[in-house]
């Protein structure tokens, strides 16, 4: 058997191989008259896919991660703020036993009481009685004013405590916000490093 | 200059090459690579050129496995499948091996489906319009192991040389040479046995 002829048709032809070639040549591929009917694919879709293919995985993954991190951070901050506001309001409405009432409650005007009100809605018949009472009323008013100011003075430490608690909460919130921003910056920095590495790999091996 | 080389130089001057990635110089890439990248960029004519280059290989691979009457339809099936899935090919230079694998899988799929639907009569080969001697020689080649029959069909039926077979299928030239030599030896024995009966 002529191995060269079998390999690349070089050298003296082998009779049996030639006979087989002639016999089997009738089964050889013949190009069809009509071209291959390829499925229609829109030019826009093709160009979009060609544009997306090399850049899709790393860049889109990084961008999506950043967006998710930012959304999560914003949501978390909003939740914290809502919680701190809700806690203050709850304390204002339902103060704990032993806790002094907050400032808004302390400064609420007292409800009107009949005998205390010197003028009120009095009938004309009671004018004499009322003039008799008027001699007593200033003392009562002075006494009531003194008791109110004493009550207000007693509530001052409670107001200060509430203000201090609120300012501490604001400070804690700001500290948490700063920590979150720092974490986001670190994440973004790391993602940038990963993207640079991926781009470097793609430049070295552009076919894959 | 070989056909592949001429095709490569011609392609370098076409617009298809402009769409190829610019990171690697075009002269370092095979014409198949340039064509595959052009197809990925939406050039349908480039796929037509790939079809012309690889249709004999796909035809040979299928002919080694399925009835002659079915081969032409299956060749089209294989190329349509390749066109749809070409974006999944990671290395454009490996197109030949990838396409050969699609053709082999399609042949396996054909036999699986045929078993599920109906049994074909055994004398179908004799009833077809193929030359009886050629059909008998092809039947004998099909009795050989997979690697040998595929290489022999590409060499004896499609008229490809050993180096061309290696280039198209992605096999090493040494493997193709061994397959051709051993396959031909086995075929000669079978032909002798048949003629001796």
């Amino acid at each position: 058997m002529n191995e060269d002829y079998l390999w690349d048709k070089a050298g003296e032809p082998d009779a049996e191989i030639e006979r087989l070639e002639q016999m089997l040549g009738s089964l050889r591929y013949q190009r069809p008259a009509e071209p291959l009917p390829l499925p229609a694919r829109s030019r826009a879709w093709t160009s979009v896919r060609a544009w997306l293919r090399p850049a899709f995985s790393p860049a889109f993954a990084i961008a999506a991660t950043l967006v998710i991190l930012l959304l999560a951070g914003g949501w978390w901050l909003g939740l914290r703020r809502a919680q701190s506001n809700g806690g203050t309001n709850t304390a204002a409405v339902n103060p704990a036993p032993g806790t002094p009432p907050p400032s808004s409650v302390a400064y609420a005007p007292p409800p009107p009481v009949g005998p205390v009100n010197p003028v009120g809605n009095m009938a004309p018949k009671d004018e004499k009685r009322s003039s008799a009472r008027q001699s007593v009323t200033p003392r009562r008013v002075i006494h009531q004013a003194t008791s109110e100011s004493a009550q207000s003075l007693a509530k001052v430490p409670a107001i200060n405590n509430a203000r201090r608690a609120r300012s501490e909460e604001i400070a804690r919130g700001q500290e948490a916000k700063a920590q979150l921003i720092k974490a986001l910056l670190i994440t973004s920095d790391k993602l940038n490093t990963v993207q640079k590495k991926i781009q470097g790999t793609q430049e070295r091996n552009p076919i894959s | 200059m070989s056909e592949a080389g001429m095709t490569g130089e011609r392609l370098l001057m076409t617009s298809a090459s402009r769409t190829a990635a610019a990171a690697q110089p075009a002269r370092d890439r095979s014409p198949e690579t340039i064509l595959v990248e052009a197809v990925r960029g939406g050039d349908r004519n480039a796929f037509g050129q790939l079809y012309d280059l690889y249709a004999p290989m796909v035809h040979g691979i299928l002919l080694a496995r399925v009835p002659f009457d079915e081969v032409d339809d299956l060749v089209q099936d294989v190329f349509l499948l390749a066109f749809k899935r070409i974006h999944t090919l990671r290395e454009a230079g490996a197109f030949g091996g990838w396409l050969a694998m699609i053709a082999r899988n399609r042949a396996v799929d054909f036999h699986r489906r045929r078993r599920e639907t109906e049994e074909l009569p055994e004398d179908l080969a004799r009833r077809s319009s193929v030359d009886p001697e050629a059909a008998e020689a092809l039947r004998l080649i099909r009795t050989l192991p997979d690697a040998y029959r595929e290489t022999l069909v590409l060499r004896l039926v499609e008229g490809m040389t050993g180096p061309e077979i290696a280039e198209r299928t992605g096999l090493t030239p040494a493997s193709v040479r061994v397959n051709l030599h051993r396959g031909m030896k086995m075929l000669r024995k079978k032909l002798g046995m048949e003629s001796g009966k």
Side-chain angles (χ1 to χ4, degrees):
Chain A
M1 180 169 60
N2 187 348
E3 276 196 36
D4 285 344
Y5 183 75
L6 183 64
W7 172 241
D8 58 0
K9 300 182 185 177
E12 194 180 335
D14 185 292
E16 193 166 15
I17 295 173
E18 260 194 332
R19 192 178 65 84
L20 280 169
E21 280 180 322
Q22 282 173 1
M23 191 195 301
L24 292 166
S26 60
L27 305 176
R28 187 171 293 176
Y29 169 74
Q30 287 170 350
R31 199 176 191 279
E34 291 179 10
L36 182 70
L38 293 175
R41 205 159 42 171
S42 73
R43 183 176 281 271
W45 169 238
T46 307
S47 59
V48 165
R49 265 174 67 166
W51 177 74
L52 282 177
R53 196 178 53 79
F56 183 79
S57 8
F60 273 75
I62 288 167
T65 311
L66 279 176
V67 167
I68 288 168
L69 278 174
L70 284 172
L71 286 175
W75 175 78
W76 183 73
L77 274 177
L79 195 69
R80 262 192 81 91
R81 194 171 293 165
Q83 276 178 347
S84 63
N85 287 342
T88 310
N89 291 340
T90 311
V93 174
N94 297 319
T99 311
S103 56
S104 59
V105 176
Y107 287 112
V113 182
V116 176
N117 191 349
V119 184
N121 294 328
M122 284 184 287
K125 287 180 185 175
D126 295 336
E127 270 184 32
K128 277 187 184 177
R129 204 181 291 171
S130 95
S131 62
R133 277 182 192 167
Q134 274 176 357
S135 59
V136 184
T137 306
R139 199 186 294 163
R140 279 196 172 191
V141 169
I142 290 166
H143 174 70
Q144 193 177 354
T146 314
S147 66
E148 274 183 2
S149 62
Q151 277 179 358
S152 299
L153 284 172
K155 286 171 187 172
V156 165
I159 294 163
N160 287 338
N161 282 341
R163 281 182 181 163
R164 200 178 303 129
R166 177 142 181 83
S167 63
E168 279 173 4
E169 274 185 8
I170 289 169
R172 276 202 299 272
Q174 282 176 345
E175 193 181 345
K177 187 181 172 184
Q179 279 181 351
L180 182 71
I181 288 169
K182 199 180 284 182
L184 284 171
L185 284 173
I186 291 166
T187 311
S188 166
D189 196 32
K190 286 187 175 177
L191 287 171
N192 281 334
T193 313
V194 170
Q195 190 182 17
K196 279 176 190 169
K197 279 185 182 173
I198 290 166
Q199 280 174 349
T201 313
Q202 281 180 341
E203 279 172 11
R204 280 197 298 277
N205 189 12
I207 293 172
S208 61
Chain B
M1 187 183 287
S2 68
E3 185 191 343
M6 285 169 66
T7 314
E9 293 215 341
R10 193 169 66 243
L11 283 167
L12 289 176
M13 292 183 283
T14 62
S15 62
S17 62
R18 284 199 294 271
T19 60
Q24 196 179 1
R27 64 177 177 279
D28 292 348
R29 289 177 293 157
S30 66
E32 289 83 3
T33 307
I34 295 166
L35 285 171
V36 169
E37 285 174 357
V39 173
R40 282 170 167 174
D43 187 348
R44 296 162 76 93
N45 292 331
F47 194 79
Q49 292 182 53
L50 278 175
Y51 182 87
D52 289 342
L53 274 173
Y54 283 94
M57 178 198 79
V58 173
H59 188 267
I61 289 172
L62 290 168
L63 192 61
R65 291 171 171 84
V66 300
F68 177 74
D69 294 340
E70 306 284 348
V71 173
D72 286 341
D73 287 345
L74 291 178
V75 168
Q76 292 214 348
D77 279 2
V78 167
F79 275 97
L80 287 175
L81 200 62
F83 182 71
K84 285 178 191 166
R85 294 185 184 171
I86 199 160
H87 63 277
T88 64
L89 176 62
R90 289 185 64 81
E91 284 186 33
F95 178 77
W98 179 72
L99 188 67
M101 192 54 71
I102 291 178
R104 289 177 198 123
N105 290 339
R106 187 70 189 84
V108 171
D109 194 39
F110 169 82
H111 285 296
R112 193 184 298 140
R113 284 186 190 174
R114 194 177 67 163
R115 271 200 297 275
E116 285 170 2
T117 52
E118 59 173 330
E119 280 294 323
L120 292 176
E122 286 180 4
D123 61 341
L124 187 70
R126 270 173 252 156
R127 280 195 248 163
S128 66
S129 58
V130 182
D131 171 27
E133 277 193 334
E136 185 58 24
L138 186 63
R139 188 188 67 78
L140 284 176
I141 291 174
R142 281 181 182 160
T143 61
L144 301 176
D146 266 0
Y148 300 161
R149 65 179 163 180
E150 188 177 303
T151 319
L152 275 182
V153 167
L154 291 174
R155 171 67 185 84
L156 298 174
V157 179
E158 306 299 338
M160 296 164 74
T161 63
E164 281 174 349
I165 295 169
E167 191 189 333
R168 295 276 190 278
T169 57
L171 294 170
T172 62
S175 303
V176 174
R177 191 161 199 146
V178 167
N179 290 345
L180 276 177
H181 181 72
R182 290 183 184 167
M184 195 64 213
K185 203 171 173 181
M186 288 176 81
L187 182 63
R188 276 183 205 274
K189 272 186 192 172
K190 284 184 182 282
L191 285 168
M193 283 167 66
E194 290 289 318
S195 61
K197 275 185 185 175

